Amino acid sequence: MSDETRLIHAGKTSAPLAETVGPPIQKGSTILLPNAEALYDDANYLTYGRAGLAAQSALQAALCELEGAEGVTLYPSGIAAVAGAMLALLKAGDEVLVVDSVYKPVRRFCDNVLKRFGVAVAYYDPRTPAEKLVADASAQVRMILLESPGSLSFEMQDTPRIAALARERGILTCIDNTWGAGLLFKPLAYGVDVSIQALTKYVGGHSDVFMGSAAAREPSLVRKLADGINHMGWAVSGEDAYAMLRGLRTLPTRMARHGASGLEVAGWLRDRPEVAEVLHPALPGAAGHDLWARDYTGACGLFGVILTPAPAAATNAFLNALELFGLGFSWGGFESLALACDPQLAVRKHRRDYGGPLMRLHIGLEDPADLIADLRRGFDAFKSA
Ligand SMILES: *Cc1c(COP(=O)(O)O)cnc(C)c1O
């Protein structure tokens, strides 16, 4: 044979592969099938690489363990996971009730995409009692999308109660559980139908990979979510799945540290004269603490802080004086971050007057004493601005 042919057929993998601790990162669009019958036998063979190879399957199996799920679908980002679950489970004519404190890009998807395809969207106040929320739902309501604690403002919802009441009415519940990361709160065990998270945050843990997941127990939902992925043509790479799985190995260890350091910093902040309120459901006495104590086994490092009334110049001076906290939008990584929230609150339907600027902190894996010293620097700048 000529070199052209020999080079195309040379260098194939010799099976079986040596066993390593992590899965192999397979790369492949084509999957070679053992015989002609297997070509159209989707029941017994993986026939195309887009469905995911070794690293993706290993990650899915591990996430099933974490979430207590029958099936987990992977998406190229957290926002794609929320959008993907909604697209897979809703149709024209349906209505979805979305918590008003939802992650802002989810609202953008609902308003710009779902509505365009004939799905009605209504935003409910996170403080609405579960009974009223479900009793007031119209006959068209097919899904309630929760996020608890809410993005930026950290309202806790009575998720198990909402899930139980919604189930009685045949309404699906989906939750963005990025704060709980599938670890601190187990939505499926509390009756929620679909548990969604931005793996980008705590599971990845290193602020360098985008991915999202949707987990379900009910086989028909698992199937619909998987079909949704297939219809949309979404896929995640083996390299990214491998990185996520590596993050997952240390999730509980990292989370314990994020949670403990977060509470230490939150407790210190609560006693500061520049702080009006700390929005951290795991902090005793804070709003939502009873629900957190009932349903959660721990805390992550993300919480809100309402400062005493001050002009934007003072909050900017506070942020600009921080040396250890980065200024940025993500969270869940090893590093501490801070941002001002007020510009993001204007889109909300049920706005609340916080009486002062709302800030969000992510407490990373640094020594909390060093972080407190950094915040003290911030407050010095805040006071003199
Ligand atoms: C970051 C985030 C998302 C989206 O995750 P991406 O991977 O950035 O798309 C969704 N929900 C919440 C609560 C988030 O914080």
Side-chain angles (χ1 to χ4, degrees):
M1 285 187 283
S2 69
D3 276 355
E4 283 90 334
T5 310
R6 290 193 305 124
L7 289 179
I8 281 176
H9 290 274
K12 297 225 164 112
T13 8
S14 55
L17 296 172
E19 189 181 352
T20 47
V21 175
I25 299 176
Q26 287 183 293
K27 297 177 76 77
S29 51
T30 302
I31 290 177
L32 296 173
L33 291 154
N35 51 50
E37 289 74 17
L39 281 171
Y40 293 99
D41 184 357
D42 292 341
N44 291 312
Y45 292 95
L46 187 62
T47 54
Y48 197 50
R50 200 191 325 100
L53 300 166
Q56 292 93 328
S57 311
L59 175 61
Q60 284 171 297
L63 289 171
C64 278
E65 288 286 331
L66 176 71
E67 301 267 5
E70 274 302 307
V72 169
T73 37
L74 301 176
Y75 303 80
S77 69
I79 187 70
V82 181
M86 294 178 105
L87 286 174
L89 303 175
L90 294 168
K91 61 178 186 327
D94 286 345
E95 181 176 352
V96 56
L97 303 183
V98 177
V99 67
D100 199 37
S101 53
V102 79
Y103 178 64
K104 196 175 155 205
V106 170
R107 177 188 295 270
R108 201 166 57 205
F109 167 76
C110 290
D111 292 343
N112 293 296
V113 181
L114 281 187
K115 286 183 183 172
R116 194 151 47 83
F117 287 90
V119 175
V121 181
Y123 295 98
Y124 68 91
D125 190 322
R127 292 163 295 180
T128 313
E131 286 71 16
K132 180 168 166 51
L133 173 68
V134 178
D136 288 355
S138 77
Q140 282 67 49
V141 171
R142 175 77 187 120
M143 176 190 289
I144 300 175
L145 178 71
L146 303 103
E147 187 180 326
S148 180
S151 260
L152 307 178
S153 43
F154 300 92
E155 301 88 347
M156 288 295 295
Q157 294 205 255
D158 191 343
T159 303
R161 185 89 188 117
I162 294 172
L165 293 169
R167 187 172 296 266
E168 280 171 20
R169 285 204 46 195
I171 298 171
L172 291 171
T173 47
C174 298
I175 188 169
D176 181 338
N177 188 40
T178 301
W179 196 93
L183 180 72
L184 310 172
F185 177 59
K186 306 275 184 187
L188 302 183
Y190 282 87
V192 176
D193 292 302
V194 182
S195 170
I196 302 168
Q197 63 163 319
L199 301 169
T200 310
K201 305 293 166 57
Y202 281 111
V203 173
H206 294 75
S207 307
D208 54 3
V209 190
F210 280 102
M211 204 177 293
S213 62
R217 274 187 179 168
E218 167 60 40
S220 68
L221 287 177
V222 171
R223 180 65 208 232
K224 279 185 183 165
L225 291 168
D227 285 348
I229 292 271
N230 201 15
H231 296 150
M232 298 302 291
W234 283 323
V236 303
S237 75
E239 285 90 342
D240 286 354
Y242 187 95
M244 273 306 157
L245 193 55
R246 182 156 62 178
L248 189 64
R249 307 294 184 204
T250 56
L251 174 67
T253 313
R254 286 183 287 112
M255 197 62 111
R257 177 70 186 249
H258 283 293
S261 298
L263 279 170
E264 187 175 335
V265 175
W268 178 82
L269 283 166
R270 183 149 69 175
D271 295 335
R272 289 291 306 192
E274 302 85 355
V275 171
E277 191 181 346
V278 176
L279 306 179
H280 190 328
L283 193 64
H289 182 69
D290 293 351
L291 289 172
W292 174 84
R294 190 191 67 187
D295 299 339
Y296 285 61
T297 57
C300 70
L302 191 79
F303 61 90
V305 185
I306 304 169
L307 300 179
T308 48
T315 54
N316 286 347
F318 169 80
L319 292 173
N320 289 332
L322 300 174
E323 290 169 12
L324 295 179
F325 285 83
L327 307 186
F329 284 96
S330 194
W331 47 288
F334 52 81
E335 78 289 9
S336 291
L337 295 170
L339 57 80
C341 303
D342 293 347
Q344 291 194 56
L345 301 176
V347 292
R348 294 195 175 179
K349 192 157 173 288
H350 308 274
R351 278 190 293 278
R352 180 184 144 193
D353 180 8
Y354 290 98
L358 175 60
M359 318 294 279
R360 188 180 78 179
L361 297 181
H362 177 251
I363 303 304
L365 300 176
E366 302 94 334
D367 185 330
D370 293 329
L371 296 176
I372 285 173
D374 203 29
L375 291 169
R376 198 173 272 133
R377 253 191 302 276
F379 284 132
D380 287 344
F382 179 77
K383 279 183 292 189
S384 50

